[in-house]
């Protein structure tokens, strides 16, 4: 599943909503794009469990290990599931890191 394809499909299928938030975070060797609906997501949890650790954990592989070990984070395998979870109020992560070659993953964060 291509991250670019999933992002573009979501943007096309989900109407432009005032409360749809897309945050792009960049640090050395890693990029994270978070997509969520402000009215049904917990921004404080995103800040505490995602954004702050993104900048505090410098090594991309260590940050990925942090995400994979977190009980509220899981990988997604289908475009339909990504859209369904976003509409339910789950935050979608589009994670890219560079370590010998570019790798990408789509994940979600439960409320």
């Amino acid at each position: 599943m291509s991250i670019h394809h999933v992002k573009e499909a979501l943007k096309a299928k989900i109407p432009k909503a005032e409360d749809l938030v897309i945050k792009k975070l960049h640090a050395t060797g890693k990029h994270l794009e978070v997509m969520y609906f402000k009215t049904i997501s917990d921004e404080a949890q995103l800040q505490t469990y995602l954004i702050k650790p993104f900048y505090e954990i410098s090594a991309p592989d260590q940050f990925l290990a942090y995400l994979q070990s977190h009980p509220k984070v899981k990988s997604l395998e289908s475009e339909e599931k990504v859209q369904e979870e976003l509409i339910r109020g789950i935050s979608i992560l589009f994670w890219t890191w560079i370590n010998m070659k570019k790798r990408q993953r789509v994940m979600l964060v439960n409320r």
Side-chain angles (χ1 to χ4, degrees):
M1 170 174 56
S2 161
I3 285 183
H4 177 73
H5 174 76
V6 172
K7 281 192 290 188
E8 294 308 311
L10 279 176
K11 289 175 184 176
K13 290 178 182 177
I14 298 192
K16 210 50 166 159
E18 286 185 25
D19 65 336
L20 179 63
V21 177
I22 300 172
K23 289 188 179 189
K24 296 179 181 182
L25 310 174
H26 301 280
T28 304
K30 59 186 177 180
H31 308 281
L32 183 65
E33 193 167 336
V34 183
M35 184 182 291
Y36 61 93
F37 284 105
K38 189 174 186 172
T39 53
I40 56 177
S41 297
D42 188 339
E43 287 186 297
Q45 280 195 13
L46 284 173
Q47 182 67 33
T48 300
Y49 298 113
L50 181 66
I51 296 171
K52 188 175 176 187
F54 177 81
Y55 290 110
E56 290 177 343
I57 302 171
S58 59
D61 289 338
Q62 290 177 353
F63 182 70
L64 179 61
Y66 164 79
L67 286 178
Q68 291 173 326
S69 69
H70 200 286
K72 292 188 174 217
V73 177
K74 70 178 183 179
S75 291
L76 293 175
E77 299 301 325
S78 75
E79 179 183 323
E80 293 78 22
K81 187 71 172 168
V82 171
Q83 181 179 345
E84 177 185 312
E85 295 293 349
L86 179 63
I87 292 169
R88 285 186 44 230
I90 305 301
S91 301
I92 307 299
L93 313 179
F94 298 99
W95 164 250
T96 303
W97 76 104
I98 300 161
N99 182 8
M100 303 295 276
K101 63 179 182 175
K102 188 175 183 178
R103 294 187 242 171
Q104 300 179 333
R105 183 163 292 162
V106 180
M107 301 175 153
L108 64 85
V109 179
N110 289 312
R111 290 180 268 161

